[in-house]
Amino acid sequence: MENPSEKTPARWEGLPSWLLTQTAGHAHRLVAGGFSSVDARGYHYRLLATLEDLGPASQATLGRRSGIHVSDMVATINELADRELVERAPDPSDRRRNIISLTAAGERQLRRLEQRLAETQDELLAPLSPEERQRLTELLSRLLDHHNRRAGTPEEPR
């Protein structure tokens, strides 16, 4: 017989908020594990992808564009610069500021991270058909957009 104290109470196990939270935990574990397998973290992916999509920028601008808090940005840039995935150069218009840019090695690492991310998305969404995956993504995007607008949060690029 199952131990009653180990069963999730039916009262909340069907609530969308509960289901989203539980699924988000699995998504985080899968993505973190996938990135870890290629010696990376989620912040690495976000910063490299932001640089590729939007080009070189200052630390402050990169923080805003990638959603990485300023307190984590310096460490993330240091980690990537130590591995020669990004480079810092003085900003010609303000020598007190550095401009961060993506290197060729950074582009190659971004391709590896994208591959791992695609694999983890497939693992997370394994029980869903391609059409169901698309519909889930649309619904989650709609929810996020709604709540971002209500909170006054700027939309993040997709």
Side-chain angles (χ1 to χ4, degrees):
M1 183 168 114
E2 188 178 5
N3 181 345
S5 66
E6 293 177 7
K7 184 172 177 358
T8 302
R11 170 174 276 166
W12 72 68
E13 69 182 356
L15 293 173
S17 57
W18 170 258
L19 296 168
L20 284 168
T21 301
Q22 297 307 300
T23 304
H26 290 292
H28 179 76
R29 178 183 50 77
L30 290 168
V31 170
F35 284 157
S36 178
S37 74
V38 290
D39 193 29
R41 299 182 303 117
Y43 280 173
H44 295 168
Y45 170 75
R46 286 167 56 184
L47 187 58
L48 294 174
T50 299
L51 284 169
E52 184 176 69
D53 289 350
L54 302 174
S58 69
Q59 282 183 197
T61 299
L62 284 173
R64 287 188 301 276
R65 289 176 175 173
S66 65
I68 299 173
H69 192 272
V70 66
S71 64
D72 296 315
M73 182 56 76
V74 173
T76 302
I77 291 172
N78 287 342
E79 291 167 5
L80 295 174
D82 288 347
R83 295 168 57 189
E84 299 180 351
L85 302 176
V86 300
E87 67 181 18
R88 292 181 181 103
D91 183 342
S93 65
D94 183 350
R95 307 291 285 172
R96 298 168 296 173
R97 181 171 61 188
N98 284 319
I99 297 296
I100 312 304
S101 58
L102 187 62
T103 65
E107 289 176 13
R108 289 189 299 276
Q109 176 68 349
L110 180 56
R111 299 291 86 77
R112 284 188 288 276
L113 296 177
E114 288 172 333
Q115 178 61 40
R116 291 302 299 140
L117 191 54
E119 291 165 2
T120 60
Q121 300 302 300
D122 283 342
E123 187 175 350
L124 176 68
L125 302 173
L128 302 180
S129 70
E131 295 78 21
E132 289 171 323
R133 291 176 185 204
Q134 179 63 34
R135 185 67 180 142
L136 176 63
T137 301
E138 291 167 359
L139 292 170
L140 290 172
S141 293
R142 200 162 120 202
L143 281 171
L144 182 60
D145 290 346
H146 168 79
H147 290 287
N148 280 345
R149 278 193 307 278
R150 287 186 64 198
T153 307
E155 285 188 33
E156 291 188 25
R158 290 192 218 292

